[in-house]
Amino acid sequence: AEPGDTVFIYAQALSGPKMPIAIVRKQVADLPVTVTLNDSMAMMPDRKLSNFDQVKLLARISKSGSAMSQPGDLLGVVEQTDSKATKGQTIVINSQVK
């Protein structure tokens, strides 16, 4: 990854649409970074993070800067976590989108 590559950090519902519930955009140069996802980062007003008890957390490095996942993007996932947890989660970017 290059310092200017885009990093998307987001929460996703465990089932249903893969559209992010809450998302923040950073750059590789910002890593490691600590973010707090909340309802103000919702992609859709009716799908707020607070509406979900459990979510999947993802961090994806995009060479193109596109919000759509593409082959070659780098990915890290926390498969399930409590959306209201006060303890932080560490996402390790350790796989590649095929």
Side-chain angles (χ1 to χ4, degrees), residues 3-87:
D5 290 348
T6 302
V7 180
F8 295 99
I9 303 164
Y10 55 102
Q12 194 177 66
L14 295 179
S15 62
K18 298 294 184 194
M19 176 188 280
I21 299 166
I23 190 167
V24 66
R25 181 180 181 147
K26 298 288 186 181
Q27 290 189 321
V28 168
D30 299 325
L31 299 178
V33 65
T34 300
V35 300
T36 301
L37 298 175
N38 59 50
D39 286 348
S40 72
M41 299 166 177
M43 295 287 295
M44 298 176 65
D46 61 334
R47 286 188 48 142
K48 294 181 179 175
L49 189 59
S50 61
N51 295 342
F52 297 84
D53 291 329
Q54 299 285 311
V55 295
K56 179 187 286 193
L57 297 176
L58 300 99
R60 184 173 52 81
I61 298 174
S62 170
K63 288 275 192 197
S64 69
S66 172
M68 298 299 293
S69 182
Q70 298 179 2
D73 287 355
L74 303 174
L75 185 66
V77 181
V78 172
E79 289 294 337
Q80 185 172 346
T81 189
D82 183 344
S83 67
K84 295 159 186 69
T86 55
K87 180 183 170 218

